[in-house]
Amino acid sequence: MSTTDTSALAVQSATSATGRRFSPLASAKFKQNLRWTNWAPAVITFVIAAALWQITAIANPYVIPTIDQVWVSLIKDADTYWANMLVTGLEVLVGASSGIIAGFILAIIMAEFQVMERAVMPLVVVVMVTPIVAIAPALVVAFGFGMTPKFIVTALVVFFPMLVNSLAGLRDVDDRALDVMKTLHASRWEIFRDLRFTGSMPYVFAGLRIALPLAIVGAAVAEFVAAGQQAGLGSLVTIAAAQANLPVTWASIALLCFMGVVLISLLALVRKRVLWWSDGAAVGR
Amino acid sequence: METAQPHAGVHIENVSKSFGPEGARTLVLNHVSLSIKMGEFVSVIGPSGCGKSTLLKTVAGLIDADSGTVMVDGMTVKAATKNKMIGLVPQSPALLPWRTVLDNVRLPMRVNPKANANRNLRDPREILESFGLGAALDKYPGQLSGGMQQRVAIARAFVFDPSVLLMDEPFSALDEMNRDAQRLGLLDFWQSNRKAVMFVTHSVPEAIMLSDRIVVMGAHPGHIAEVIDVPLPRPRTIDVYATDEFRDLEGHVRETLREVMGQKSA
Ligand SMILES: Nc1ncnc2c1ncn2[C@@H]1O[C@H](COP(=O)(O)OP(=O)(O)OP(=O)(O)O)[C@@H](O)[C@H]1O
Ligand SMILES: [Mg+2]
């Protein structure tokens, strides 16, 4: 009697869970995203902002350029912009990835060995409160006008949010899952491999979300300081601004902005693939 | 059954434990002694904060007692965890949301593999199927109901054939209908896989339904107030609830709990 009761209930709950698949939910969500109530408000805001910009630009021709002036500049000198964007892009790519990897690895070391946190964290904080704008010229003096100081500045800017977020993520494990692991006499490596590493990913992605836009800031600031020798959108901004060339200045700014948007969108795509399990209701917590 | 082994099961002797900083320590467990024989199902019940989880955690090797000894199958707890002899079912399922049900149940095999030798490891698929989860093997925990998740957690504790099972209010998050189904399922499975079980609960009917003995704990400091035998015949079914013996036992346990709680407020 008891057996039939339980198995009947088990079957019932099993089928009810089968009906609750991921894909219909996901596609429903996608459709919802396409609904005009979702995208229209943002579009309206952008249109209003553009209109205000245009009116201000026409009224103050020596303060900001009109949108069409910027557009014309972008088309006319597309090759130059593209080349400069590649330079900045390379700086962001190399600088950010080294900063991300270094931040995550140091976070792992600190999470596993508390002594390391006590030993190294104060130094990290000291470096991080030093204004990056002040470090950049010093690095140029040390490493010249090449790419090296730009890589370093970008990596530095990215490093801190990655370290702090990854560390928080590696520490915030499900205590009860940890209890289960400990009762099995899991080694530290096994706990890291099966629990901490993947469990830290929501925090890691939160860190990336802060770090990636900062990487562009880092690259641009480094270029401001070392403008002249090497190209890059940041250099372009300083040079054009010094010549009061408004369209080029703002076209470069717009491209920096565009790079940021592309990075964030890519991140959101990767996040969806990696963190599918952490969205929606928290599981097992 | 291996009841012949003299040391088989759990032996807790004179265990005391305090928490808190030096000078402001509060005694949570006061000279607690309890034995659970191989194949015996023992429930622990008592007011909130009386130290049930603390006692369970000392047996699981998660907390070291200040004094006293805990032995599992004649070994220290440390040696027992090294040999993967203890299965733990925590209060929440605590499954890995990024792993399938099957992989979650395989976890105990993947971890500490040295201890896998010479033991009767079960087939994770088979055990999940016997838990009514055959259709959910490749699903992720987020796709399961709370009751199903808890069953996966129980399967994870049974799969590596530990000699002792520790469960800390495993069904407390479920609704009453579901709880009954889970209890009967657990009982069914345990009937054919007799382990020594220590089962912490807040529910009197649950304790009676499942146990051979019920340990009633009192608080301030945590101690064992009374151990009540449950002589109901096995295998038990849902019909047990309706018997006079059950009602008498329920009255007895509730009365003991009232006395224990009364002490506290006096
Ligand atoms: N790590 C700890 N540090 C300090 N105090 C603790 C710790 N763990 C438990 N306690 C205290 O010990 C007492 C017993 O806690 P325990 O969790 O064992 O109670 P419990 O009987 O399981 O209660 P519940 O039924 O609410 O789960 C409580 O007063 C709690 O505050
Ligand atoms: Mg508890």
Side-chain angles (χ1 to χ4, degrees):
Chain A
M1 155 107 206
S2 80
T3 343
T4 43
D5 266 358
T6 34
S7 53
L9 262 158
V11 168
Q12 202 181 41
S13 50
T15 42
S16 76
T18 329
R20 192 156 58 92
R21 285 254 185 77
F22 267 31
S23 40
L25 268 175
S27 81
K29 209 171 167 192
F30 182 69
K31 269 184 201 141
Q32 204 177 36
N33 283 342
L34 282 185
R35 276 233 301 270
W36 68 272
T37 41
N38 263 302
W39 51 261
V43 169
I44 292 169
T45 310
F46 275 114
V47 169
I48 293 173
L52 287 175
W53 178 283
Q54 198 69 356
I55 292 165
T56 318
I58 290 167
N60 307 281
Y62 299 106
V63 178
I64 50 171
T66 58
I67 293 171
D68 50 282
Q69 283 172 326
V70 173
W71 182 250
V72 166
S73 170
L74 277 174
I75 300 296
K76 198 182 70 189
D77 295 321
D79 289 351
T80 317
Y81 287 121
W82 177 243
N84 284 290
M85 193 154 83
L86 282 185
V87 172
T88 308
L90 183 67
E91 290 161 7
V92 169
L93 199 73
V94 174
S97 34
S98 20
I100 288 164
I101 292 168
F104 188 60
I105 288 176
L106 187 60
I108 292 172
I109 294 170
M110 285 183 176
E112 293 295 325
F113 309 98
Q114 288 244 331
V115 199
M116 286 303 288
E117 184 180 4
R118 262 173 268 147
V120 182
M121 200 52 127
L123 173 66
V124 173
V125 171
V126 167
V127 174
M128 283 312 137
V129 295
T130 312
I132 202 71
V133 194
I135 299 179
L139 286 174
V140 171
V141 173
F143 296 102
F145 286 81
M147 296 292 261
T148 318
K150 286 145 194 169
F151 291 155
I152 296 176
V153 170
T154 311
L156 268 180
V157 164
V158 167
F159 176 76
F160 197 53
M162 279 313 293
L163 171 67
V164 173
N165 277 280
S166 308
L167 189 57
L170 291 163
R171 291 252 163 87
D172 182 39
V173 283
D174 182 346
D175 285 331
R176 286 172 177 156
L178 194 60
D179 283 352
V180 171
M181 295 291 273
K182 282 181 179 162
T183 307
L184 295 166
H185 207 264
S187 66
R188 264 155 86 150
W189 158 247
E190 286 167 333
I191 290 174
F192 175 77
R193 178 194 68 189
D194 286 330
L195 203 59
R196 286 190 201 278
F197 179 78
T198 314
S200 73
M201 285 304 139
Y203 287 78
V204 169
F205 274 85
L208 286 170
R209 173 104 213 200
I210 303 168
L212 289 183
L214 277 183
I216 296 175
V217 174
V221 164
E223 287 174 5
F224 289 169
V225 181
Q229 181 92 19
Q230 211 85 23
L233 291 173
S235 314
L236 218 53
V237 171
T238 24
I239 295 168
Q243 298 166 353
N245 187 339
L246 290 182
V248 173
T249 308
W250 283 97
S252 310
I253 294 172
L255 287 175
L256 282 170
C257 172
F258 171 72
M259 283 176 66
V261 171
V262 168
L263 273 185
I264 287 295
S265 313
L266 282 177
L267 181 67
L269 273 179
V270 177
R271 188 186 187 281
K272 229 178 187 168
R273 304 227 101 194
V274 177
L275 282 186
W276 53 269
W277 53 268
S278 98
D279 293 325
V283 179
R285 300 206 164 202
Chain B
M1 259 184 279
E2 300 164 76
T3 30
Q5 285 181 14
H7 300 297
V10 180
H11 295 274
I12 304 166
E13 234 180 271
N14 258 321
V15 162
S16 295
K17 176 74 190 174
S18 308
F19 285 114
E22 209 68 53
R25 294 176 79 75
T26 41
L27 190 57
V28 169
L29 291 178
N30 188 20
H31 297 289
V32 173
S33 296
L34 173 68
S35 284
I36 304 172
K37 289 192 289 285
M38 188 72 188
E40 192 184 22
F41 201 120
V42 173
S43 288
V44 178
I45 198 165
S48 192
C50 70
K52 303 182 294 292
S53 297
T54 307
L55 184 62
L56 185 124
K57 281 182 178 174
T58 55
V59 180
L62 300 168
I63 291 177
D64 287 325
D66 295 339
S67 62
T69 53
V70 181
M71 304 291 266
V72 174
D73 278 9
M75 286 178 227
T76 61
V77 170
K78 199 166 189 141
T81 55
K82 244 181 209 149
N83 289 321
K84 287 207 283 195
M85 290 160 67
I86 301 170
L88 177 69
V89 182
Q91 198 168 345
S92 61
L95 304 173
L96 307 181
W98 56 85
R99 293 225 182 239
T100 61
V101 164
L102 192 56
D103 280 342
N104 265 288
V105 173
R106 280 181 182 144
L107 181 83
M109 269 81 142
R110 238 181 6 249
V111 161
N112 186 6
K114 258 180 293 174
N116 282 351
N118 304 322
R119 68 160 67 217
N120 179 22
L121 291 178
R122 302 175 147 274
D123 178 5
R125 283 172 193 281
E126 224 168 76
I127 207 166
L128 281 165
E129 272 157 21
S130 74
F131 274 48
L133 289 162
L137 295 179
D138 297 320
K139 287 195 192 316
Y140 288 89
Q143 293 168 284
L144 305 186
S145 69
M148 294 170 90
Q149 289 184 26
Q150 198 52 268
R151 259 180 286 161
V152 177
I154 295 173
R156 180 181 59 188
F158 265 106
V159 73
F160 59 104
D161 195 40
S163 33
V164 173
L165 268 174
L166 306 174
M167 311 198 198
D168 195 348
E169 304 186 40
F171 306 141
S172 61
L174 307 178
D175 59 81
E176 190 54 34
M177 273 274 294
N178 219 324
R179 290 185 80 164
D180 244 334
Q182 303 303 330
R183 284 169 194 159
L184 289 164
L186 172 64
L187 208 54
D188 228 43
F189 192 79
W190 174 78
Q191 224 106 251
S192 48
N193 302 269
R194 301 284 284 246
K195 313 277 173 203
V197 178
M198 179 171 169
F199 188 95
V200 173
T201 178
H202 271 134
S203 159
V204 176
E206 180 168 282
I208 300 171
M209 179 69 179
L210 296 173
S211 319
D212 296 311
R213 283 187 297 150
I214 299 173
V215 173
V216 181
M217 284 184 71
H220 307 290
H223 63 280
I224 294 179
E226 196 173 332
V227 179
I228 298 167
D229 277 313
V230 182
L232 299 172
R234 293 187 189 272
R236 295 174 193 164
T237 67
I238 202 151
D239 302 331
V240 175
Y241 287 132
T243 61
D244 290 337
E245 292 96 320
F246 188 94
R247 252 176 265 140
D248 291 347
L249 275 164
E250 186 168 359
H252 184 172
V253 176
R254 287 197 195 282
E255 180 57 33
T256 312
L257 276 172
R258 259 196 299 278
E259 277 165 27
V260 165
M261 312 274 265
Q263 267 173 24
K264 193 183 111 188
S265 57

